[in-house]
Amino acid sequence: MKLQSLEEQWVSKFLKIDSRSKIGGIKTSFCMAKKELKKVFNLNSYEWWRNHRRVVTFGLFLSIFAFYLGNPFHKEAKVKDTCAKLNSSFQFTGDEAMKKLNLKEIKNYNNRELANYYCERYLGIK
């Protein structure tokens, strides 16, 4: 048996490559068998999916459910924020509030009054 360098011994143990895998004088540290490459970089996506499908499916279901529950709360928070900005220190004009609240303009009425009326009714203020 030939004596191998410490590097070659370590690489051959780590990659499970024996001395017969030398191709054209290339050392074992520079070549890697296809099977070992697949294991090292986890290139078999079916195996990954088979091992992680429950976690991924549960995570996707949980994300969709959270979006479904959070959407109405997000819309309500947006309306409350718009109403608060409209009524505090004139941060919004009536036109901006009408756009953000998706309200239609009515003739002979001020846009600010319409937005304030909508906010009062939405928030339950009389």
Side-chain angles (χ1 to χ4, degrees):
M1 288 185 64
K2 293 183 179 179
L3 293 175
Q4 293 179 335
S5 68
L6 187 60
E7 178 188 357
E8 287 179 349
Q9 288 176 359
W10 183 81
V11 169
S12 64
K13 286 181 184 178
F14 178 71
L15 299 176
K16 297 178 183 172
I17 298 174
D18 59 356
S19 61
R20 292 175 288 171
S21 64
K22 291 183 180 180
I23 302 170
I26 299 173
K27 292 184 179 181
T28 56
S29 61
F30 295 111
C31 70
M32 190 180 294
K34 285 186 179 182
K35 291 180 184 178
E36 300 300 324
L37 184 67
K38 204 177 246 189
K39 287 181 183 177
V40 170
F41 292 110
N42 195 13
L43 296 176
N44 193 348
S45 60
Y46 176 73
E47 286 291 324
W48 183 90
W49 173 249
R50 199 172 94 197
N51 295 334
H52 297 86
R53 63 182 168 209
R54 289 183 181 164
V55 175
V56 172
T57 304
F58 181 71
L60 287 173
F61 173 74
L62 195 61
S63 301
I64 292 169
F65 187 66
F67 179 76
Y68 173 73
L69 285 181
N71 201 19
F73 293 112
H74 175 70
K75 288 180 181 177
E76 185 174 349
K78 182 180 173 186
V79 170
K80 285 183 178 181
D81 183 52
T82 304
C83 291
K85 287 182 179 180
L86 178 68
N87 290 322
S88 66
S89 303
F90 295 97
Q91 292 180 7
F92 275 163
T93 62
D95 296 330
E96 290 177 73
M98 293 288 281
K99 283 183 184 176
K100 289 202 177 223
L101 296 172
N102 295 329
L103 300 175
K104 295 180 182 176
E105 294 184 16
I106 300 175
K107 293 180 182 178
N108 300 329
Y109 282 99
N110 186 1
N111 286 342
R112 186 171 195 84
E113 290 177 12
L114 285 174
N116 277 332
Y117 182 73
Y118 176 80
C119 288
E120 288 174 359
R121 295 299 164 242
Y122 185 84
L123 299 173
I125 302 170
K126 292 183 180 181

